[in-house]
Amino acid sequence: MVLVTAALLMVTTVQSKNFASMIDARVELEAANKENEKLANRDSLTGLANRRQFFSHLNQEFVLAERSKSKLTVGIIDLDGFKPINDLYGHAMGDNLLTQVGARLSELANEHLSISRLGGDEFALVIKNDLTNEQLLAFGREVCEILNTPFALPDASVQISGSIGFAVYPDLASSAHELYERADYALYQSKKTNRGDAVVFCKSHIRDIETDSKIELILSDANLEQEIAVFFQPIVDLKTSRTVAFEALARWDGPILGKVSPAVFIPIAEKTGLITRLTEILLNKALLAASRWPDDIRLSFNLSAKDISSPIAAMKIFKIIKNSQIDPKRIDLEITETATMFDFEQAQSSIQLLKSLGCGIALDDFGTGFSSLSQLHALPLTKIKIDRSFVTQIDQKPASYKIVKSLLALSRDMHLQCVIEGVETKDELKVIDSCGGQFVQGYFFSEPLPETEIAHFIKETVTPHRFAQ
Ligand code: C2E
Ligand code: MG
Ligand code: MG
């Protein structure tokens, strides 16, 4: 009996030990699973829900909203001016900034509002509250203000802003995917026209999407060589009253749509990749026209973001200029700040390549983006063009006057030439002249002209001080 009992006891003890270790293993496994799940669903930098979790949460909430017939809103936030900070201060600083953005945004979270980081500098909100479009816009502006407040980094205090696009179910989206796509479209609109502000997807956006896809179709089928022309707008030197350059501006006049503004078709061509071919055609036409002008007149040519964000496209432009009949030293290539934001290093090396030919590099629409002095230093610029928005009614707007005056001082300090765009009236011109502006462009002098009118215009403007009086 004793022996049997002892044996049984031993068996029981061994088994219970095995059992205990099995339970331990199971607990460990569960913890590991939880950790894995957390890693799979959390963004490791900010601790917010990641892209995967955002979509699974959105899908769940969408099913619930459909069932309960309640509203569901998706908001997508993209930071403006983050990429240059990442490029210039380094990735550690960029990460620090994103962590702080994540922390500020997560303070907004509650049972009705969840925040995720979709990747890069993009964040997303899922909102279950029943808000009107006005309330949504007001909330969006609050978020923008939160992002606008300067961030303290170890070496600097930096300021960025955020743009937001919203889309609401069931008002203007019928599936979770559409809700996301339309919020993204609204974000794109906000970045294009209301940078640093909120936009709610609305009915007119649906019409715009339809028009854009119609234009996209027609443009991709068009005989570009024949339908696309280049017009030229003079840039005048106020000191001598002479035309010193012409800016080449694309014009499309086709059989189906008639005249379409470049502000409409250039972005579409950029989106579809057609811009590379368009740039080639435009550049060839512009160079041919400029080769017939007097030697002291320069050509200013607009490059799109795609032209400088791909080494192949940049090389193509390089070859066209090199093989042309005109001295590259007479050419200025205009780029915008946004063009450099996609891939700063690639943009920098494309610009460097084109500059090595002897071309000037002008920063177009300056003042509308978020470039700071240090960011400008990183690009081999020779000119800046002050955006029209600061010039319109400068004679009545002290804020615009101050901005233009300080941009002119900035360009002088940096030994950059400065062209002031969009001068329409004599009063605006007088103010610009009094601030020391020298190179000007705008309807006051001339609208963009067809090539045939250029010779006449050059002759006409050689009257000293005609404009300054
Ligand atoms: P941008 O390069 O800033 O060109 C200046 C725009 O302002 C032109 O519009 C010009 O006609 C307009 N403008 C000039 N003076 C005045 C003025 O006094 N008042 C007003 N209200 N407007 C004035 P446009 O030709 O419609 O071109 C719009 C934009 O489309 C250009 O802005 C540029 O970003 C783009 N674009 C035009 N041609 C080309 C091109 O060949 N290639 C590329 N990549 N983009 C182009
Ligand atoms: Mg331009
Ligand atoms: Mg411009």
Side-chain angles (χ1 to χ4, degrees), residues 416-436:
L416 296 173
Q417 255 190 23
C418 186
V419 178
I420 300 172
E421 297 185 287
V423 181
E424 289 184 355
T425 68
K426 196 160 196 149
D427 288 336
E428 288 168 358
L429 184 66
K430 272 190 192 151
V431 175
I432 286 161
D433 198 27
S434 74
C435 302

Side-chain angles (χ1 to χ4, degrees), residues 314-315 317-319 321-322 327-329 331 333 348-361 380 382:
M315 191 39 102
I317 295 166
F318 178 92
K319 283 189 183 147
I321 296 177
K322 198 159 193 278
D327 182 353
K329 290 196 184 68
I331 303 172
L333 297 169
Q348 221 174 3
S349 75
S350 300
I351 295 166
Q352 204 69 59
L353 173 77
L354 296 167
K355 202 183 175 193
S356 72
L357 280 168
C359 299
I361 307 291
T382 54

